[in-house]
Amino acid sequence: RNYIFTLGDALITFNPVATGPLRYVDSFERKLGGAELNFAIGCARLGLPVKWMSRLGGDEFSKYIYNTVRGEGINMDYVEHVSGYPTSLNFKEILENGSGKTFYYRYQSPILTMTEEDIDESMFDDIAYVHLTGVFLAIAPQNLQIGLSILRIGKAKGIPVSFDPNIRLKLWTLEQARAAYFEIFPYVDILLTGLDEIEMIIDTMPFEQFVAQYNISELVIKDGANGSKAYVDGHWHNAEPFLVKPVDTVGAGDGYDAADIFGLMNGYDVAERLRFANAVGAMVTTVKGDNEGLPEYTDVEVFLGQKTLVER
Ligand code: KDG
C-alpha cells in the first residue's frame, strides 16, 4: 500500500492578470484548480504517489485538465470522461494584499454523475492514506454518502484518514456544512482546518472537548500569517509562520495539507511536520494561481535554508 487517495471536482481557474475588482479585469490566465486537485498536485510535487478520483467532461477544457493532471504524475485510474457535462469554471478576483474572492460558474459539473456504486472496496487495496475535503461534500447532495462509504471502507481496512472542512459558503449554507461534517468527524484521524473554520463549526465548544468527543487523534489548526498549531495526545504544539509577501493566498491550505501528510508518511515528528507544512503554505502564497506555487521537495529545502541552489 503506498498511494494517497483523494477525490473531487476539477475547475478551470481564470486567474486575473490585474489585481482589483473583477469588473475592471479584462484579461485572465487559464489555469486549473479544485481543492482536492490542488492537494493531489501538492502531494505529487513532493514525491508522494497519489490517486485522484474524479469525473471530467468531454469538452476542450476537460482535455486540458486531463493532460495537466497526467503531466503532474497523478494517478487517474478512477477518472472517467462523461460527455454532456461542461467543465466548471472559477473566476478569481485578487486584491493587492493577495486575498481574493472566487466567482463560481459550476452548474452541471461532470462529477455530479458519480454515485456510491462507483466506490468499491478493492479500490483501496493499494491505498495508504485517504484525504477528503468539504468542497467535494458541498457540490452534490449524494457526495456525503460517497464520502461516508469511502470512510467506512477505510476504517475496515485500517487506512488513516484526514479531512479538511474547506468551508465554501458559496456552495452550501453553514448549517448544511455542519450537518455533513458532524457525520464525517467520527471517522477522521487528522482534522486539518482553518482557525476561522473550526470556530464556525464547533462554535464555543473547547477544542479539547471536541477532539475527545469525536475521537480525533490530531487537530491541526491553520491560521494563515500567524502560523499553525496542533493538538496531539493532550498537548498543543505551535509553529511560527514564515514571513513572505503573499500575492495570492488561494490554495495555501491545500498545500499545507499535502505537506503535513508528506511529513506523516516520512516519519516527521509533530514539530517538524508543522514547520514543513507552514513553509509549503507560505511558498504557495508567493505565486499567483491555486497550485502553481506548490513546491517540489528540493524547493522546500532551499526555502528552509537546508540547501543552496546554484542559479547560474
Ligand atoms: O482551496 C482552493 C480551492 O478552493 C480552489 O482551487 C477552487 O474553490 C475552489 C474549489 O471549489 O475547489
Side-chain angles (χ1 to χ4, degrees):
R1 286 190 187 180
N2 61 338
Y3 281 102
I4 312 294
F5 175 93
T6 192
L7 86 168
D9 199 15
L11 300 151
I12 289 291
T13 300
F14 284 100
N15 287 322
V17 165
T19 51
L22 203 61
R23 75 190 71 169
Y24 303 117
V25 178
D26 301 325
S27 313
F28 296 86
E29 291 166 341
R30 191 268 293 106
K31 303 287 183 182
L32 58 81
E36 299 88 355
L37 180 53
N38 300 334
F39 166 82
I41 296 173
C43 290
R45 296 236 179 112
L46 290 171
L48 290 175
V50 56
K51 289 195 182 190
W52 172 69
M53 180 176 189
S54 195
R55 295 289 179 267
L56 298 175
D59 55 4
E60 284 294 315
F61 282 149
S62 71
K63 288 174 188 156
Y64 157 71
I65 292 172
Y66 183 85
N67 289 344
T68 309
V69 176
R70 190 166 58 174
E72 294 287 345
I74 294 168
N75 178 297
M76 289 196 284
D77 283 356
Y78 308 123
V79 176
E80 285 171 24
H81 287 270
V82 283
S83 55
Y85 290 82
T87 302
S88 297
L89 310 179
N90 176 20
F91 287 85
K92 281 167 67 182
E93 177 180 276
I94 304 177
L95 304 181
E96 275 300 319
N97 65 1
S99 71
K101 290 188 191 145
T102 54
F103 296 92
Y104 293 128
Y105 291 80
R106 65 195 314 170
Y107 305 109
Q108 288 298 310
S109 162
I111 207 160
L112 299 182
T113 60
M114 204 188 274
T115 69
E116 224 184 313
E117 279 70 60
D118 293 317
I119 307 296
D120 174 310
E121 230 188 275
S122 65
M123 288 166 58
F124 295 86
D125 288 349
D126 58 359
I127 302 300
Y129 197 93
V130 168
H131 178 74
L132 301 184
T133 103
V135 176
F136 175 71
L137 304 180
I139 50 186
Q142 71 268 23
N143 288 1
L144 176 60
Q145 288 316 317
I146 298 176
L148 287 171
S149 64
I150 292 171
L151 296 179
R152 286 190 197 107
I153 296 171
K155 261 277 172 282
K157 289 186 179 285
I159 304 171
V161 171
S162 53
F163 180 70
D164 186 331
N166 262 334
I167 298 185
R168 298 286 181 271
L169 294 178
K170 286 192 173 175
L171 298 177
W172 57 358
T173 65
L174 182 58
E175 290 66 37
Q176 289 172 319
R178 293 179 77 231
Y181 299 155
F182 284 110
E183 287 206 51
I184 295 284
F185 288 151
Y187 297 94
V188 173
D189 299 297
I190 302 185
L191 182 62
L192 296 145
T193 173
L195 177 62
D196 49 345
E197 291 182 311
I198 192 68
E199 286 173 349
M200 281 196 257
I201 299 165
I202 64 171
D203 203 8
T204 55
M205 190 194 288
F207 293 133
E208 297 80 358
Q209 187 188 330
F210 163 70
V211 160
Q213 193 165 321
Y214 288 93
N215 206 15
I216 290 169
S217 45
E218 290 193 19
L219 172 66
V220 181
I221 299 181
K222 303 175 268 184
D223 191 16
N226 299 315
S228 60
K229 59 182 180 178
Y231 185 68
V232 188
D233 293 332
H235 299 283
W236 281 104
H237 304 258
N238 287 293
E240 292 298 314
F242 291 94
L243 296 177
V244 291
K245 192 176 173 299
V247 297
D248 181 358
T249 57
V250 176
D254 306 324
Y256 185 104
D257 295 355
D260 186 86
I261 287 148
F262 174 84
L264 194 79
M265 302 306 283
N266 285 284
Y268 290 18
D269 66 24
V270 184
E272 288 169 325
R273 269 167 51 203
L274 294 183
R275 181 164 181 267
F276 187 80
N278 272 355
V280 170
M283 291 173 82
V284 173
T285 70
T286 62
V287 183
K288 192 166 72 175
D290 295 4
N291 43 58
E292 285 82 336
L294 287 162
E296 291 181 1
Y297 179 71
T298 313
D299 303 326
V300 192
E301 283 183 296
V302 173
F303 181 86
L304 291 173
Q306 293 163 352
K307 198 174 190 172
T308 320
L309 195 66
V310 179
E311 285 183 345
R312 344 172 149 199

